[in-house]
Amino acid sequence: MREALESLRTEALAATEAADQLEVLRDLKVKYLGKKGELTSVLRGMGKLSAEERPVIGSLANEIRSQLEEALKTKETHLEELQLDEKIREEKLDVSLPGIVNPIGAAHPLAAVIEEIEDIFVGMGFEVVEGPEVETDQFNFEMLNIPKDHPARDMQDTFYITDDILLRTHTSAAQIRTMLEKGGNTAVRIISPGKVYRRDDDDATHSHQFTQIEGLVVDKGVSMSELNGVLLTFIEKIFGAGTEMRLRPSYFPFTEPSVEVDIYHPEKEWVEILGAGMVHPNVLAKAGYNPERYTGFAFGIGIERIAMLKYNIDDIRHFYQNDLRFLKQFRSV
Ligand code: DAH
């Protein structure tokens, strides 16, 4: 019986040593130590032994059991570690792999310039309002002191939809809408950006559709010197401190006096960037403001002109062609 136990020990330890998978170990445990296992069945023969032999064999069997248990446990731990190592190796992330680049868009240069101008005027207490691109002849012309036969209509060749409805030729129509809305006894301090349309042949400096920002201030005691201060602040903010500005007398039917405003550009010298003036008393009156009590100033800024000067763009058509090579240059604007 001793031999049987010893050879079982040798065989079981060798099998444990050779096991290379956790499942194999589990089977060995059942095979040798399980209820119907080999060690158990050897011990079942103990009854046939003499009284002296019984404790000797019993203690040998216990020794073998704990030795085998120990060996199985050690091997199990070892195999589990190997398995974990393998898993870690498989799941390893290669952080040096190039990432997935999600293309990020950027604001169109005109949108970016409008936003910049809005910020400047909001900083001076202006409110931003928007008007419709399809306008009435009434708001686009008549109420701005430009009657049907007025020669100023020739300067703004118009896309008419019907006799009375048109594509607005300037954002000045927003002046009338705002004043009517405010009701004739509230101060007005607004800018209004948007697209405008004229029947022009497109070339490097003309486009049948372009962008303006209108400005309007109406209150008691508004003066030309305030207009001057507001415009100079705007120009220095957008083109840099120290940028020179000059006002030239001009004519617009809706302002009196009227001016055209130039800035000094190092290469192009004096360049016109906007029209402005004191709101004509007729315009105030038509829109419900008593010109005896209220005065106002207005201005109209050409956005493309500003953007072209600011970023040295030589052809207005670049803005509308959506060529990515052009647009990508404004990523950080
Ligand atoms: N509406 C004019 C244009 O499109 C620009 C303009 C000039 C707007 C003088 C004004 C202004 O508000 O006061 O050419």
Side-chain angles (χ1 to χ4, degrees), residues 119-316:
D119 282 350
I120 295 170
F121 281 102
V122 166
M124 290 191 276
F126 284 72
E127 188 189 335
V128 181
V129 303
E130 277 183 40
E133 289 170 31
V134 176
E135 220 0 313
T136 60
D137 185 281
Q138 181 84 350
F139 287 177
N140 193 83
F141 289 127
E142 296 282 338
M143 292 180 78
L144 285 162
N145 213 22
I146 319 174
K148 282 263 181 325
D149 55 352
H150 198 286
R153 289 208 182 200
D154 300 341
M155 295 171 8
Q156 302 188 357
D157 216 346
T158 311
F159 288 111
Y160 276 94
I161 295 169
T162 68
D163 281 352
D164 304 318
I165 311 274
L166 46 77
L167 293 183
R168 68 178 174 190
T169 58
H170 51 186
T171 45
S172 301
Q175 292 187 26
I176 304 298
R177 288 185 172 272
T178 307
M179 282 190 276
L180 289 175
E181 216 165 88
K182 298 271 181 187
N185 48 22
T186 319
V188 176
R189 198 172 177 87
I190 58 105
I191 54 167
S192 186
K195 295 191 186 87
V196 301
Y197 302 83
R198 290 187 199 172
R199 284 169 34 142
D200 252 333
D201 290 328
D202 293 358
D203 61 25
T205 53
H206 295 86
S207 170
H208 63 280
Q209 178 218 294
F210 57 106
T211 324
Q212 291 186 330
I213 290 190
E214 195 73 14
L216 176 68
V217 172
V218 177
D219 206 345
K220 290 170 186 152
V222 172
S223 68
M224 187 103 185
S225 68
E226 191 188 341
L227 170 63
N228 193 69
V230 164
L231 292 179
L232 189 59
T233 304
F234 159 65
I235 280 163
E236 289 206 314
K237 287 224 157 118
I238 198 111
F239 291 112
T243 303
E244 279 184 86
M245 169 183 101
R246 78 176 179 193
L247 308 187
R248 274 181 297 107
S250 184
Y251 172 76
F252 299 103
F254 34 89
T255 43
E256 180 56 37
S258 302
V259 291
E260 273 171 319
V261 178
D262 302 340
I263 60 153
Y264 192 81
H265 186 275
E267 283 152 38
K268 302 179 171 50
E269 307 209 330
W270 290 106
V271 199
E272 186 199 325
I273 58 160
L274 61 93
M278 298 305 292
V279 180
H280 197 291
N282 289 352
V283 175
L284 287 172
K286 279 182 211 272
Y289 279 79
N290 181 351
E292 302 291 327
R293 296 174 56 217
Y294 282 92
T295 50
F297 63 76
F299 53 87
I301 306 171
I303 303 301
E304 281 81 352
R305 182 68 70 86
I306 302 278
M308 287 169 87
L309 285 172
K310 199 169 156 73
Y311 300 115
N312 250 320
I313 297 164
D314 58 4
D315 193 320
I316 198 171

